Amino acid sequence: MSDLTLTTAAATSPEAAPRTPPASQIGLRGWLRANLFSSWINTAVTLVLAYLIIRWTIGFIEWGVINAIWSVPENQTQACRDLRGVGACWAVITEKHRFILFGTYPYEEHWRPALVCLLFVGLYVVSAMRRFWRWELALVWVATLAVIGVLMWGGVLGLSYVPQERWGGLPITLILATFGLAFAFPLAILVALGRRSKLPAIKALCVLYVELIRGVPLISLLFMASVMFPLFLPEGMNIDKLLRAQIAIILFAGAYLAEVVRGGLQALPKGQYEAADALGLGYWQKTGFIILPQALRLVIPPLVNTFIGFFKDTSLVLIIGIFDLLTAGKTAIIEPAWQGFGIEVYLTVGAIYFVFCFAMSKYSQDLEAELNRHRRR
Amino acid sequence: MSETLEHIASAARTDAPPAILLDKVNKWFGALHVLRDVSLSVAVGERLVVCGPSGSGKSTMIRCINRLETHQEGRIVVDGIELTDDVRALDAIRREVGMVFQSFNLFPHLTVLENCTLAPIWVRRMPKAEAESLAMHYLERVKIPEQAKKYPGQLSGGQQQRVAIARALCMKPKIMLFDEPTSALDPEMIKEVLDTMVGLAEDGMTMICVTHEMGFARTVADRVVFMDRGEIVEMGTPVQVFENPQTDRLRLFLSQILRGH
């Protein structure tokens, strides 16, 4: 085969330089031709969509930038009302951004939740870098979370005490999501392993857990945590409402993540288990060194899918009266002067959610490529 | 029939206790009777080749020896330890018995070197540096030390199988089991793997090898076992088994094998 090509090539021109493909096939022109203008119907669709996209973009820029009002004097929103539908009233964000971000946390202490948010972001960034993936990272987590607790509650080191009922906004969302996923993920791994266990009792327990939790909506779990659970506690004993919601979220996310992890476990060929057994590795050695590293790599996309879903699902705590980012945004526009400016507030809150979710998504793509390098030849 | 088998088995080598002893082993997959009264004794240092048509139970038999499959009746004694549900006995046996699979089963997320050092470090509690030099020693032995830093997916099938052999050897096993080690390989790669196995046999390793490579069986095997439908049908030196088959089943099998070659 290769001999044949060699001889024909040699016959035509012995030292022919490699030719580039025709200009119409490569570069921007080739791409446009292949993807946008390959037939009259494609050309028509391209033109119609291009028109709509340009119209919409111009409209959005006019509304959001050119005609927008950025600030108004002391709750005087009449100027904004006059421009309804023509220009955005970003004054609502200028005025209310601290409430949206930090809820009812005492105004003069806002630097504390702000620092907490920065600490969370820093923690994510450090944890995302593979060169910090050592056991010391666990210490960093414990230390950071302790600092975050001190900052939020206060009551020590000269910080004034702030009861949990007054926390709100972005820190609540980050606390619920971070603790939720940090505890739900290990739980999920154990449950997924348990579901494949040879011990019938463990297996039954894990199946029961997954099916029970998955069978009810998160909202009903949150209600149970907030309304029913305290009824079963002895008199005088009280568990923090945020903690109860947190546990409900951990249990719920754990069940979903467990099924994702189990999918990865099942995708591994039986030979991997057998080879580990034949080498004399014990169960936890086999699981830790051979099975989980491969299974988790396989399920990075659905895993991150679930992570992102739960990051946003933390907003459901609004139904039990916890002030997360979305609820704070909603509450910010209850005041009569600012009623009717929901679009601006929701766009802003949505943008904050998007930044976190998109970062997760982007990071997972890089991680996937990095960790699956061994599959490339 | 069974008397002759026992006669051959006992006559096979010295008086030392056997490395592996199977005594009337039976196994079923559901209702399917896959091992029927299999009795076999393998002496220390003996090289045994097991052949037979597919579905004859030969793989199942050697997988019972390191308990990747459990037998339901009879006794299996490996290196003086009887295989039972006792976990410690199982751990002890798996440390002493190396296995090479038809489909290599290397760990794709670990480098060749890590594949070789994982079990010595964690099962034998060997220091990392020592495990690595041991691994390099065996990788040189299978003639691929230069691939140590690569991942299995970057190697050819023959190279992967040689890594699998090195990985098993790094545990310094007393016994090696080969389950059709060349069946998944392209013809030009079979030789490099067989050469490695011949070298191992010359060093006096106790080996049981399920294979259809008749040339390998003739040059290396002390004894050849022919299995069919879960039974050991014939057993003897390669010359006895290949030149002078006693049963129709073996004659049929040999004619099919030879036609295939």
Side-chain angles (χ1 to χ4, degrees), chain A residues 287-298:
Chain A
T287 305
F289 295 130
I290 309 301
I291 305 305
L292 281 179
Q294 293 187 67
L296 293 181
R297 275 165 222 230
L298 284 174

Side-chain angles (χ1 to χ4, degrees), chain A residues 36-288:
Chain A
L36 299 179
F37 303 104
S38 57
S39 66
W40 71 267
I41 201 160
N42 267 354
T43 308
V45 170
T46 301
L47 292 177
V48 168
L49 286 178
Y51 172 75
L52 288 176
I53 290 170
I54 291 167
R55 272 280 313 262
W56 190 85
T57 311
I58 291 173
F60 186 80
I61 291 172
E62 273 179 347
W63 175 82
V65 182
I66 298 171
N67 297 334
I69 293 177
W70 300 91
S71 64
V72 291
E74 194 61 29
N75 285 358
Q76 299 296 302
T77 53
Q78 197 50 47
C80 275
R81 292 195 188 279
D82 294 341
L83 270 176
R84 284 289 287 276
V86 183
C89 181
W90 297 118
V92 67
I93 306 299
T94 319
E95 182 72 24
K96 294 285 185 189
H97 71 276
R98 303 235 333 216
F99 185 84
I100 294 171
L101 285 176
F102 307 126
T104 53
Y105 207 88
Y107 193 83
E108 2 10 286
E109 303 286 338
H110 273 184
W111 62 272
R112 283 156 58 180
L115 191 56
V116 163
C117 293
L118 288 179
L119 280 173
F120 269 124
V121 171
L123 194 58
Y124 303 152
V125 170
V126 169
S127 310
M129 291 191 228
R130 285 198 77 196
R131 63 195 151 103
F132 294 124
W133 288 9
R134 279 172 279 155
W135 68 270
E136 289 94 335
L137 189 60
L139 291 184
V140 173
W141 269 73
V142 172
T144 312
L145 295 180
V147 172
I148 284 171
V150 168
L151 280 170
M152 289 303 283
W153 262 298
V156 287
L157 304 171
L159 297 170
S160 61
Y161 173 67
V162 179
Q164 186 263 303
E165 287 74 30
R166 301 206 50 188
W167 302 5
L170 187 57
I172 289 278
T173 296
L174 294 182
I175 287 171
L176 286 173
T178 310
F179 281 89
L181 295 174
F183 283 95
F185 189 45
L187 172 71
I189 289 174
L190 290 179
V191 171
L193 291 172
R195 253 194 110 152
R196 291 168 60 84
S197 168
K198 285 188 191 120
L199 308 170
I202 291 181
K203 185 173 176 171
L205 200 68
C206 294
V207 172
L208 195 69
Y209 163 72
V210 169
E211 296 304 337
L212 270 185
I213 300 278
R214 231 174 19 161
V216 295
L218 176 55
I219 291 187
S220 65
L221 264 188
L222 288 171
F223 264 129
M224 270 202 272
S226 116
V227 183
M228 283 175 60
F229 182 67
L231 299 179
F232 300 119
L233 285 180
E235 195 85 28
M237 188 175 163
N238 188 20
I239 297 181
D240 188 277
K241 183 158 80 172
L242 186 65
L243 181 60
R244 279 179 277 146
Q246 182 76 78
I247 291 171
I249 286 176
I250 290 171
L251 290 177
F252 198 71
Y256 276 85
L257 289 171
E259 287 299 279
V260 172
V261 173
R262 191 165 68 97
L265 294 177
Q266 258 159 355
L268 275 200
K270 209 170 141 228
Q272 292 291 309
Y273 292 85
E274 289 180 349
D277 284 339
L279 284 170
L281 294 171
Y283 176 80
W284 291 108
Q285 292 171 342
K286 174 173 71 171
T287 305

Side-chain angles (χ1 to χ4, degrees), chain A residues 270-272 274-281 285 289-290 293-294 297 374 376-377, chain B residues 63 66 68 94 97 101 105-109 118 122-123 125 151 153-154 167 171:
Chain A
K270 209 170 141 228
Q272 292 291 309
E274 289 180 349
D277 284 339
L279 284 170
L281 294 171
Q285 292 171 342
F289 295 130
I290 309 301
Q294 293 187 67
R297 275 165 222 230
H374 65 84
R376 289 205 303 258
R377 287 198 143 247
Chain B
R63 287 161 60 87
N66 68 350
L68 288 181
R94 283 186 175 159
V97 181
F101 299 86
N105 293 346
L106 293 176
F107 305 129
H109 62 301
L118 184 74
W122 291 96
V123 181
R125 305 276 161 201
Y151 288 99
Q154 297 166 310
R167 177 175 74 177
M171 282 296 284

Side-chain angles (χ1 to χ4, degrees), chain B residues 47 49 214 216-224 235-244 254:
Chain B
R47 278 91 55 166
V49 163
M214 292 305 144
F216 174 77
R218 277 172 198 276
T219 44
V220 166
D222 295 311
R223 271 190 300 160
V224 174
M235 177 152 64
T237 63
V239 176
Q240 282 174 326
V241 170
F242 295 139
E243 310 293 335
N244 193 13
L254 288 175

Side-chain angles (χ1 to χ4, degrees), chain B residues 1 4-5 8 224-226 232-255:
Chain B
M1 184 74 222
T4 40
L5 286 183
I8 296 168
V224 174
V225 171
F226 171 67
I232 293 184
V233 179
E234 289 196 33
M235 177 152 64
T237 63
V239 176
Q240 282 174 326
V241 170
F242 295 139
E243 310 293 335
N244 193 13
Q246 300 294 307
T247 55
D248 287 343
R249 287 200 262 180
L250 179 53
R251 271 191 284 272
L252 178 68
F253 174 73
L254 288 175
S255 71

